[in-house]
Amino acid sequence: MAGTVALAFGFDVDAGYALLVPGLIVSGVGQGIVWTAMWIAAATGTAPHEQGVANGMASTALDLGNAIGLAVFTVLADIGTEGRTGRALKAATADGEFRVVLLTAAGMAVGLLATLLLKRRPAPAPKAAPEGGEVLAAR
């Protein structure tokens, strides 16, 4: 979230690429941590033989969210660019992108709050192996 906020300040009509680098670095490290935790959370409490289904559902939800979010944020970023040309168009585009990146950080904050407010349930106890059968260990 902090990396995304820092990244937003690189969306200015006069900003250079160097202003984006700190936000990209912090955001990249954060995504590595959060995405790993997301896949773990998606599979936690799922029977070993259903791990593929759980991860498939998480991946599908991620892809749908990305597609819908990109479409909505593209529209929001383009608000105020109508009829502009030249530097005025560049400035309006940069302002729209700045706004959208901050909205992305706000969405991350809402997600963090929702995660912290979720009730935690104890993990289910492992099931006993059937007579004469073997239980496959989950990785």
Side-chain angles (χ1 to χ4, degrees), residues 8-100:
F9 293 99
F11 289 91
D12 182 74
V13 71
D14 295 319
Y17 291 115
L19 200 53
L20 295 170
V21 173
L24 287 171
I25 291 170
V26 173
S27 186
V29 170
Q31 284 182 22
I33 294 166
V34 171
W35 283 41
T36 301
M38 177 192 70
W39 294 115
I40 292 168
T44 298
T46 304
H49 66 280
E50 294 178 344
Q51 293 287 315
V53 173
N55 282 306
M57 290 173 63
S59 180
T60 300
L62 176 66
D63 291 343
L64 284 172
N66 283 338
I68 293 167
L70 178 62
V72 169
F73 280 173
T74 298
V75 169
L76 293 175
D78 283 345
I79 292 173
T81 61
E82 302 86 13
R84 297 178 188 258
T85 59
R87 183 153 174 85
L89 177 59
K90 285 183 180 182
T93 301
D95 289 345
E97 291 167 350
F98 175 80
R99 183 175 46 250
V100 164

